[in-house]
Amino acid sequence: QVQLVESGGGSVQAGGSLTLSCAASAEYYCMAWFRQAPGKDREGVALITRDLKTIYGDSLKGRLAISKENAKKILLQMNRLNPEDTAMYYCAADNWSPCTLGSDFETWGQGTQVTVSS
């Protein structure tokens, strides 16, 4: 069974930084990060493809960078965090191309919580 395992979440003060990682048990064409805050819809944060194409959502644009550590692992560096960034962050993966933040991703992780205090 293919798995995605997220790590790196935690509590941080406003203005701080966090790096999330997502390790997959298989290679995918596209891997992405989404987030969902309580009472809000899930939103796309960023994605990266096998050929290193990246797409960023609007909410964190300019404050984050997505990268590939290797073929099965991605990182999400988030900077200048604020309390509105508090959410569960999920890793997702898919082999469909083209891949966008609106794609119907086939595989999801369990999520890692990010909490930003003021």
Side-chain angles (χ1 to χ4, degrees):
Q1 183 178 356
V2 178
Q3 289 184 319
L4 299 176
V5 179
E6 303 101 331
S7 62
S11 297
V12 63
Q13 288 193 325
S17 299
L18 279 175
T19 299
L20 307 182
S21 65
C22 174
S25 58
E27 290 189 43
Y28 286 91
Y29 171 72
C30 181
M31 295 182 73
W33 287 98
F34 291 80
R35 70 180 185 180
Q36 188 165 20
K40 295 188 177 180
D41 293 335
R42 186 176 64 199
E43 63 175 329
V45 174
L47 70 80
I48 187 165
T49 66
R50 184 180 295 145
D51 49 1
L52 304 182
K53 173 185 173 184
T54 58
I55 297 176
Y56 292 96
D58 292 333
S59 57
L60 283 152
K61 209 167 189 177
R63 297 189 290 123
L64 57 81
I66 190 169
S67 61
K68 289 178 73 73
E69 184 171 287
N70 57 50
K72 298 181 185 178
K73 189 174 182 180
I74 62 170
L75 304 175
L76 184 70
Q77 171 73 40
M78 302 187 293
N79 303 310
R80 303 192 304 280
L81 289 164
N82 59 62
E84 289 70 39
D85 297 319
T86 295
M88 186 71 81
Y89 285 70
Y90 296 93
C91 181
D94 200 273
N95 281 314
W96 188 256
S97 176
C99 178
T100 72
L101 289 173
S103 299
D104 186 15
F105 284 80
E106 63 179 355
T107 303
W108 291 83
Q110 295 297 308
T112 185
Q113 178 68 38
V114 171
T115 302
V116 185
S117 57
S118 58

